[in-house]
Amino acid sequence: MQLNKANIEQLEDGLYLFTTPNCPTCEKLKGLLAEVNEPVVITDLDAYEHQDIAMKLSLMGTPCMIDYRDDKEYDRMYGAPNVNRIKAFLKGE
């Protein structure tokens, strides 16, 4: 699994992780993601820097991971669940 920082204007198909600075739950989720051994790339976006995108997606808090496909949201996961739940989310389950 690869976690990339990005500065984007709009979403393309992919996995996005919305975080905020100084968020302990965001840091916990990043630590859990480091334990996940899946061949995926996740784009890490600061929800404050990308407020337009966060508002478009009706983001209600961070951390929030969004699976975006075909110009729409496919699935979303809030918080820092366990590694098994993260793996299931990344597989689309």
Side-chain angles (χ1 to χ4, degrees), residues 10-13 56-57 68-74:
Q10 64 184 28
L11 298 181
E12 296 179 1
D13 286 0
K56 175 184 173 190
L57 295 170
Y68 197 79
R69 304 178 196 177
D70 300 320
D71 294 324
K72 62 184 175 191
E73 180 180 328
Y74 177 75

Side-chain angles (χ1 to χ4, degrees), residues 23-62:
C23 167
T25 308
C26 296
E27 292 306 313
K28 179 181 177 185
L29 178 57
K30 288 179 183 180
L32 290 170
L33 286 170
E35 296 178 30
V36 175
N37 190 21
E38 296 292 333
V40 297
V41 175
I42 301 172
T43 302
D44 184 10
L45 298 173
D46 183 315
Y48 294 145
E49 291 178 16
H50 299 282
Q51 287 183 3
D52 53 336
I53 295 172
M55 288 175 59
K56 175 184 173 190
L57 295 170
S58 301
L59 198 70
M60 300 301 289
T62 59

Side-chain angles (χ1 to χ4, degrees), residues 7 14-15 28 40 55 58 61 71 73 78-79 83 87 90-91:
N7 187 9
L15 293 166
K28 179 181 177 185
V40 297
M55 288 175 59
S58 301
D71 294 324
E73 180 180 328
Y78 281 104
V83 172
K87 286 181 179 183
L90 295 176
K91 292 177 181 177

